Amino acid sequence: MKLDILAIGAHPDDVELGCGATLAKEIASGKKVGILDLTQGELGTRGTAETRFEEANNASKILGVSIRINMKFADGFFTNDKVHQLAIINKIREYQPEIVICNAIDDRHIDHGKGSKLVSDACFLSGLIKIETQTDSGEFQNAWRPKQVYHYIQWKNLEPDFVVDVSEFMETKMKAVLAYKTQFYDASSKEPETPISSKNFTDSIMYRARDLGRLVGVEYAEGFNVERYVVVDSLFKLK
């Protein structure tokens, strides 16, 4: 299956939080979208790897993604090395996405910055024909480099390089985010509190999107950072 977009997150729920509304919008327009989770989030204070897997499945159904794969890298301890790069290259070549969207370039959680650089490096290396990878059946894969690598914004309020109008898709995003029932605000929960389990954090998802939207004259927007300049065909195609 060839994908238009492959969204990658260090943990299950990263993608939903970072670019869930953008993905929902692209899926609604007919684009094929997949999600790649690098880890199972097994070090998370609340829930387990098993509950995260079930929650990720439910979130995927809400968004309507075509595929979702978990690489089962070690949460907190994966590294940007040849083994991990080759594993991601294999998936990039398998699904041949035009666009890859991945973790924030800089963020509070160490896995986010690591995941960002790991995926970015893998996207470049995936285009080199002298790096050989094989499918599960032993067939050699063709080199493939995505046309663009974008980074969603997470905990830190990074200045976006561009924003996407997601006004009609915030409800879908929030349903997908809240599918992770063990992770986010629940007044009746007896689990330990975490930085993302507060009501303030859940509210911040909406007010960040609303504020970005305010700045560009729409109701809600999601922001992204780029690795190279974004090109437009015409000045009149900019909102």
Side-chain angles (χ1 to χ4, degrees), residues 1-8 32-34 88-101 123 126 144-148:
M1 180 192 302
K2 186 185 184 316
L3 296 174
D4 297 299
I5 299 173
L6 180 60
I8 303 177
K32 287 191 179 298
V33 175
I88 297 174
I89 288 168
N90 182 279
K91 297 305 178 187
I92 292 170
R93 290 178 172 181
E94 179 178 355
Y95 294 107
Q96 300 184 343
E98 301 296 321
I99 294 171
V100 165
I101 310 177
C123 284
S126 184
W144 180 269
R145 183 175 293 146
K147 292 178 180 176
Q148 294 285 356

mmCIF file of all heavy atoms in Angstrom, residues 1-8 32-34 88-101 123 126 144-148:
data_model
loop_
_atom_site.group_PDB
_atom_site.id
_atom_site.type_symbol
_atom_site.label_atom_id
_atom_site.label_comp_id
_atom_site.label_asym_id
_atom_site.label_seq_id
_atom_site.Cartn_x
_atom_site.Cartn_y
_atom_site.Cartn_z
ATOM 1 N N MET A 1 0.840 -1.192 0.000
ATOM 2 C CA MET A 1 0.000 0.000 0.000
ATOM 3 C C MET A 1 0.883 1.253 0.000
ATOM 4 O O MET A 1 1.739 1.411 0.860
ATOM 5 C CB MET A 1 -0.880 0.031 1.256
ATOM 6 C CG MET A 1 -1.796 1.243 1.342
ATOM 7 S SD MET A 1 -2.535 1.418 2.975
ATOM 8 C CE MET A 1 -3.371 -0.154 3.136
ATOM 9 N N LYS A 2 0.666 2.105 -0.986
ATOM 10 C CA LYS A 2 1.381 3.376 -1.009
ATOM 11 C C LYS A 2 0.590 4.415 -0.222
ATOM 12 O O LYS A 2 -0.618 4.541 -0.386
ATOM 13 C CB LYS A 2 1.586 3.868 -2.442
ATOM 14 C CG LYS A 2 2.447 5.121 -2.504
ATOM 15 C CD LYS A 2 2.560 5.676 -3.904
ATOM 16 C CE LYS A 2 3.498 6.867 -3.938
ATOM 17 N NZ LYS A 2 3.309 7.829 -2.839
ATOM 18 N N LEU A 3 1.294 5.165 0.631
ATOM 19 C CA LEU A 3 0.652 6.185 1.442
ATOM 20 C C LEU A 3 0.968 7.580 0.919
ATOM 21 O O LEU A 3 2.055 7.819 0.375
ATOM 22 C CB LEU A 3 1.130 6.095 2.890
ATOM 23 C CG LEU A 3 0.779 4.821 3.657
ATOM 24 C CD1 LEU A 3 1.469 4.838 5.019
ATOM 25 C CD2 LEU A 3 -0.727 4.676 3.824
ATOM 26 N N ASP A 4 0.033 8.480 1.104
ATOM 27 C CA ASP A 4 0.312 9.891 0.830
ATOM 28 C C ASP A 4 1.074 10.510 1.995
ATOM 29 O O ASP A 4 2.004 11.305 1.788
ATOM 30 C CB ASP A 4 -1.000 10.654 0.604
ATOM 31 C CG ASP A 4 -1.756 10.158 -0.615
ATOM 32 O OD1 ASP A 4 -1.199 10.253 -1.724
ATOM 33 O OD2 ASP A 4 -2.887 9.655 -0.460
ATOM 34 N N ILE A 5 0.683 10.155 3.205
ATOM 35 C CA ILE A 5 1.307 10.700 4.417
ATOM 36 C C ILE A 5 1.597 9.569 5.394
ATOM 37 O O ILE A 5 0.746 8.716 5.637
ATOM 38 C CB ILE A 5 0.387 11.723 5.110
ATOM 39 C CG1 ILE A 5 0.083 12.915 4.199
ATOM 40 C CG2 ILE A 5 1.017 12.221 6.415
ATOM 41 C CD1 ILE A 5 -0.958 13.862 4.763
ATOM 42 N N LEU A 6 2.803 9.575 5.950
ATOM 43 C CA LEU A 6 3.138 8.689 7.056
ATOM 44 C C LEU A 6 3.452 9.576 8.262
ATOM 45 O O LEU A 6 4.411 10.357 8.232
ATOM 46 C CB LEU A 6 4.343 7.806 6.727
ATOM 47 C CG LEU A 6 4.792 6.830 7.825
ATOM 48 C CD1 LEU A 6 3.683 5.857 8.186
ATOM 49 C CD2 LEU A 6 6.057 6.084 7.404
ATOM 50 N N ALA A 7 2.616 9.505 9.285
ATOM 51 C CA ALA A 7 2.813 10.287 10.502
ATOM 52 C C ALA A 7 3.476 9.391 11.544
ATOM 53 O O ALA A 7 3.016 8.282 11.788
ATOM 54 C CB ALA A 7 1.481 10.814 11.017
ATOM 55 N N ILE A 8 4.548 9.891 12.145
ATOM 56 C CA ILE A 8 5.356 9.068 13.047
ATOM 57 C C ILE A 8 5.456 9.756 14.406
ATOM 58 O O ILE A 8 5.680 10.967 14.494
ATOM 59 C CB ILE A 8 6.766 8.840 12.459
ATOM 60 C CG1 ILE A 8 6.663 8.181 11.070
ATOM 61 C CG2 ILE A 8 7.607 7.978 13.398
ATOM 62 C CD1 ILE A 8 7.995 7.974 10.375
ATOM 63 N N LYS A 32 -4.435 8.843 1.571
ATOM 64 C CA LYS A 32 -4.145 7.647 2.365
ATOM 65 C C LYS A 32 -3.082 7.998 3.407
ATOM 66 O O LYS A 32 -2.003 8.471 3.060
ATOM 67 C CB LYS A 32 -3.656 6.501 1.475
ATOM 68 C CG LYS A 32 -4.748 5.864 0.642
ATOM 69 C CD LYS A 32 -4.264 4.586 0.004
ATOM 70 C CE LYS A 32 -5.364 3.912 -0.813
ATOM 71 N NZ LYS A 32 -6.503 3.527 0.021
ATOM 72 N N VAL A 33 -3.419 7.753 4.655
ATOM 73 C CA VAL A 33 -2.558 8.149 5.770
ATOM 74 C C VAL A 33 -2.272 6.946 6.660
ATOM 75 O O VAL A 33 -3.173 6.157 6.957
ATOM 76 C CB VAL A 33 -3.226 9.266 6.600
ATOM 77 C CG1 VAL A 33 -2.397 9.600 7.830
ATOM 78 C CG2 VAL A 33 -3.445 10.514 5.739
ATOM 79 N N GLY A 34 -1.030 6.821 7.084
ATOM 80 C CA GLY A 34 -0.648 5.779 8.032
ATOM 81 C C GLY A 34 0.054 6.382 9.231
ATOM 82 O O GLY A 34 0.562 7.506 9.172
ATOM 83 N N ILE A 88 13.316 1.959 10.294
ATOM 84 C CA ILE A 88 12.407 2.980 9.778
ATOM 85 C C ILE A 88 12.526 3.097 8.263
ATOM 86 O O ILE A 88 11.511 3.261 7.559
ATOM 87 C CB ILE A 88 12.674 4.330 10.468
ATOM 88 C CG1 ILE A 88 12.383 4.206 11.958
ATOM 89 C CG2 ILE A 88 11.815 5.435 9.850
ATOM 90 C CD1 ILE A 88 12.757 5.433 12.761
ATOM 91 N N ILE A 89 13.745 3.003 7.746
ATOM 92 C CA ILE A 89 13.938 3.020 6.288
ATOM 93 C C ILE A 89 13.096 1.932 5.632
ATOM 94 O O ILE A 89 12.468 2.147 4.592
ATOM 95 C CB ILE A 89 15.434 2.832 5.949
ATOM 96 C CG1 ILE A 89 16.223 4.092 6.309
ATOM 97 C CG2 ILE A 89 15.615 2.508 4.457
ATOM 98 C CD1 ILE A 89 17.734 3.885 6.272
ATOM 99 N N ASN A 90 13.075 0.760 6.233
ATOM 100 C CA ASN A 90 12.289 -0.356 5.698
ATOM 101 C C ASN A 90 10.819 0.026 5.553
ATOM 102 O O ASN A 90 10.180 -0.280 4.535
ATOM 103 C CB ASN A 90 12.445 -1.571 6.618
ATOM 104 C CG ASN A 90 11.707 -2.783 6.117
ATOM 105 O OD1 ASN A 90 10.503 -2.904 6.319
ATOM 106 N ND2 ASN A 90 12.426 -3.694 5.473
ATOM 107 N N LYS A 91 10.270 0.714 6.543
ATOM 108 C CA LYS A 91 8.856 1.113 6.497
ATOM 109 C C LYS A 91 8.627 2.252 5.506
ATOM 110 O O LYS A 91 7.602 2.283 4.815
ATOM 111 C CB LYS A 91 8.372 1.512 7.893
ATOM 112 C CG LYS A 91 8.407 0.381 8.901
ATOM 113 C CD LYS A 91 7.617 -0.841 8.409
ATOM 114 C CE LYS A 91 7.699 -1.990 9.383
ATOM 115 N NZ LYS A 91 7.073 -3.230 8.833
ATOM 116 N N ILE A 92 9.568 3.170 5.428
ATOM 117 C CA ILE A 92 9.444 4.262 4.448
ATOM 118 C C ILE A 92 9.436 3.695 3.034
ATOM 119 O O ILE A 92 8.628 4.094 2.191
ATOM 120 C CB ILE A 92 10.585 5.273 4.627
ATOM 121 C CG1 ILE A 92 10.432 6.023 5.957
ATOM 122 C CG2 ILE A 92 10.608 6.274 3.461
ATOM 123 C CD1 ILE A 92 11.630 6.869 6.326
ATOM 124 N N ARG A 93 10.311 2.745 2.782
ATOM 125 C CA ARG A 93 10.372 2.146 1.446
ATOM 126 C C ARG A 93 9.168 1.258 1.171
ATOM 127 O O ARG A 93 8.737 1.125 0.017
ATOM 128 C CB ARG A 93 11.672 1.352 1.311
ATOM 129 C CG ARG A 93 12.908 2.258 1.248
ATOM 130 C CD ARG A 93 14.197 1.465 1.166
ATOM 131 N NE ARG A 93 15.332 2.344 0.922
ATOM 132 C CZ ARG A 93 16.585 1.930 0.776
ATOM 133 N NH1 ARG A 93 16.867 0.625 0.859
ATOM 134 N NH2 ARG A 93 17.563 2.804 0.555
ATOM 135 N N GLU A 94 8.632 0.660 2.198
ATOM 136 C CA GLU A 94 7.447 -0.188 2.007
ATOM 137 C C GLU A 94 6.228 0.650 1.624
ATOM 138 O O GLU A 94 5.472 0.274 0.720
ATOM 139 C CB GLU A 94 7.156 -0.969 3.286
ATOM 140 C CG GLU A 94 5.921 -1.857 3.186
ATOM 141 C CD GLU A 94 5.658 -2.665 4.441
ATOM 142 O OE1 GLU A 94 6.491 -2.618 5.377
ATOM 143 O OE2 GLU A 94 4.618 -3.364 4.491
ATOM 144 N N TYR A 95 6.042 1.787 2.304
ATOM 145 C CA TYR A 95 4.810 2.574 2.112
ATOM 146 C C TYR A 95 4.990 3.802 1.227
ATOM 147 O O TYR A 95 4.007 4.416 0.826
ATOM 148 C CB TYR A 95 4.246 2.976 3.477
ATOM 149 C CG TYR A 95 3.777 1.777 4.258
ATOM 150 C CD1 TYR A 95 4.488 1.303 5.352
ATOM 151 C CD2 TYR A 95 2.630 1.082 3.878
ATOM 152 C CE1 TYR A 95 4.076 0.188 6.058
ATOM 153 C CE2 TYR A 95 2.206 -0.037 4.570
ATOM 154 C CZ TYR A 95 2.929 -0.478 5.661
ATOM 155 O OH TYR A 95 2.518 -1.592 6.347
ATOM 156 N N GLN A 96 6.240 4.148 0.908
ATOM 157 C CA GLN A 96 6.561 5.211 -0.042
ATOM 158 C C GLN A 96 5.702 6.479 0.140
ATOM 159 O O GLN A 96 5.058 6.954 -0.795
ATOM 160 C CB GLN A 96 6.412 4.685 -1.474
ATOM 161 C CG GLN A 96 7.326 3.514 -1.769
ATOM 162 C CD GLN A 96 7.257 3.045 -3.208
ATOM 163 O OE1 GLN A 96 6.324 3.373 -3.938
ATOM 164 N NE2 GLN A 96 8.237 2.292 -3.636
ATOM 165 N N PRO A 97 5.705 7.056 1.333
ATOM 166 C CA PRO A 97 4.913 8.263 1.559
ATOM 167 C C PRO A 97 5.493 9.473 0.832
ATOM 168 O O PRO A 97 6.720 9.608 0.724
ATOM 169 C CB PRO A 97 5.005 8.456 3.076
ATOM 170 C CG PRO A 97 6.329 7.855 3.445
ATOM 171 C CD PRO A 97 6.479 6.661 2.527
ATOM 172 N N GLU A 98 4.625 10.344 0.357
ATOM 173 C CA GLU A 98 5.078 11.608 -0.226
ATOM 174 C C GLU A 98 5.527 12.556 0.880
ATOM 175 O O GLU A 98 6.454 13.340 0.704
ATOM 176 C CB GLU A 98 3.947 12.253 -1.037
ATOM 177 C CG GLU A 98 3.427 11.400 -2.180
ATOM 178 C CD GLU A 98 4.484 11.163 -3.248
ATOM 179 O OE1 GLU A 98 5.248 12.101 -3.549
ATOM 180 O OE2 GLU A 98 4.564 10.025 -3.769
ATOM 181 N N ILE A 99 4.841 12.492 2.008
ATOM 182 C CA ILE A 99 5.119 13.369 3.147
ATOM 183 C C ILE A 99 5.278 12.527 4.401
ATOM 184 O O ILE A 99 4.498 11.599 4.639
ATOM 185 C CB ILE A 99 3.979 14.390 3.350
ATOM 186 C CG1 ILE A 99 3.894 15.357 2.167
ATOM 187 C CG2 ILE A 99 4.146 15.168 4.662
ATOM 188 C CD1 ILE A 99 2.657 16.242 2.196
ATOM 189 N N VAL A 100 6.277 12.853 5.210
ATOM 190 C CA VAL A 100 6.423 12.285 6.547
ATOM 191 C C VAL A 100 6.252 13.422 7.556
ATOM 192 O O VAL A 100 6.829 14.501 7.397
ATOM 193 C CB VAL A 100 7.792 11.604 6.737
ATOM 194 C CG1 VAL A 100 8.079 11.353 8.224
ATOM 195 C CG2 VAL A 100 7.839 10.285 5.973
ATOM 196 N N ILE A 101 5.436 13.176 8.570
ATOM 197 C CA ILE A 101 5.252 14.131 9.661
ATOM 198 C C ILE A 101 5.725 13.453 10.937
ATOM 199 O O ILE A 101 5.310 12.325 11.234
ATOM 200 C CB ILE A 101 3.782 14.554 9.816
ATOM 201 C CG1 ILE A 101 3.185 14.996 8.469
ATOM 202 C CG2 ILE A 101 3.665 15.689 10.838
ATOM 203 C CD1 ILE A 101 1.702 15.352 8.547
ATOM 204 N N CYS A 123 14.682 9.333 6.787
ATOM 205 C CA CYS A 123 14.056 9.799 5.540
ATOM 206 C C CYS A 123 15.123 10.136 4.496
ATOM 207 O O CYS A 123 14.961 9.839 3.314
ATOM 208 C CB CYS A 123 13.178 11.020 5.805
ATOM 209 S SG CYS A 123 11.601 10.643 6.603
ATOM 210 N N SER A 126 16.949 6.811 3.394
ATOM 211 C CA SER A 126 16.060 5.946 2.623
ATOM 212 C C SER A 126 16.157 6.207 1.122
ATOM 213 O O SER A 126 15.805 5.347 0.309
ATOM 214 C CB SER A 126 14.613 6.137 3.093
ATOM 215 O OG SER A 126 13.749 5.255 2.433
ATOM 216 N N TRP A 144 13.637 5.146 -1.579
ATOM 217 C CA TRP A 144 12.512 6.101 -1.599
ATOM 218 C C TRP A 144 12.781 7.202 -0.589
ATOM 219 O O TRP A 144 13.106 6.923 0.565
ATOM 220 C CB TRP A 144 11.195 5.416 -1.248
ATOM 221 C CG TRP A 144 10.029 6.372 -1.272
ATOM 222 C CD1 TRP A 144 9.541 7.112 -0.225
ATOM 223 C CD2 TRP A 144 9.240 6.719 -2.408
ATOM 224 N NE1 TRP A 144 8.486 7.889 -0.639
ATOM 225 C CE2 TRP A 144 8.279 7.668 -1.977
ATOM 226 C CE3 TRP A 144 9.247 6.325 -3.744
ATOM 227 C CZ2 TRP A 144 7.343 8.218 -2.832
ATOM 228 C CZ3 TRP A 144 8.307 6.867 -4.598
ATOM 229 C CH2 TRP A 144 7.371 7.798 -4.148
ATOM 230 N N ARG A 145 12.666 8.446 -1.033
ATOM 231 C CA ARG A 145 12.824 9.574 -0.122
ATOM 232 C C ARG A 145 11.554 10.426 -0.170
ATOM 233 O O ARG A 145 11.149 10.863 -1.259
ATOM 234 C CB ARG A 145 14.034 10.424 -0.497
ATOM 235 C CG ARG A 145 14.286 11.591 0.482
ATOM 236 C CD ARG A 145 15.580 12.316 0.128
ATOM 237 N NE ARG A 145 16.729 11.454 0.347
ATOM 238 C CZ ARG A 145 17.826 11.471 -0.402
ATOM 239 N NH1 ARG A 145 17.915 12.296 -1.444
ATOM 240 N NH2 ARG A 145 18.838 10.661 -0.122
ATOM 241 N N PRO A 146 10.904 10.660 0.967
ATOM 242 C CA PRO A 146 9.726 11.525 0.978
ATOM 243 C C PRO A 146 10.058 12.920 0.438
ATOM 244 O O PRO A 146 11.184 13.415 0.614
ATOM 245 C CB PRO A 146 9.347 11.594 2.460
ATOM 246 C CG PRO A 146 9.972 10.381 3.072
ATOM 247 C CD PRO A 146 11.222 10.129 2.308
ATOM 248 N N LYS A 147 9.079 13.546 -0.193
ATOM 249 C CA LYS A 147 9.302 14.887 -0.733
ATOM 250 C C LYS A 147 9.453 15.928 0.358
ATOM 251 O O LYS A 147 10.152 16.922 0.198
ATOM 252 C CB LYS A 147 8.134 15.267 -1.655
ATOM 253 C CG LYS A 147 8.087 14.454 -2.932
ATOM 254 C CD LYS A 147 6.885 14.837 -3.785
ATOM 255 C CE LYS A 147 6.849 13.999 -5.057
ATOM 256 N NZ LYS A 147 5.622 14.280 -5.861
ATOM 257 N N GLN A 148 8.757 15.724 1.485
ATOM 258 C CA GLN A 148 8.814 16.675 2.586
ATOM 259 C C GLN A 148 8.826 15.950 3.919
ATOM 260 O O GLN A 148 8.200 14.898 4.071
ATOM 261 C CB GLN A 148 7.586 17.607 2.564
ATOM 262 C CG GLN A 148 7.514 18.543 1.361
ATOM 263 C CD GLN A 148 8.505 19.699 1.474
ATOM 264 O OE1 GLN A 148 9.195 19.841 2.476
ATOM 265 N NE2 GLN A 148 8.565 20.518 0.452
#
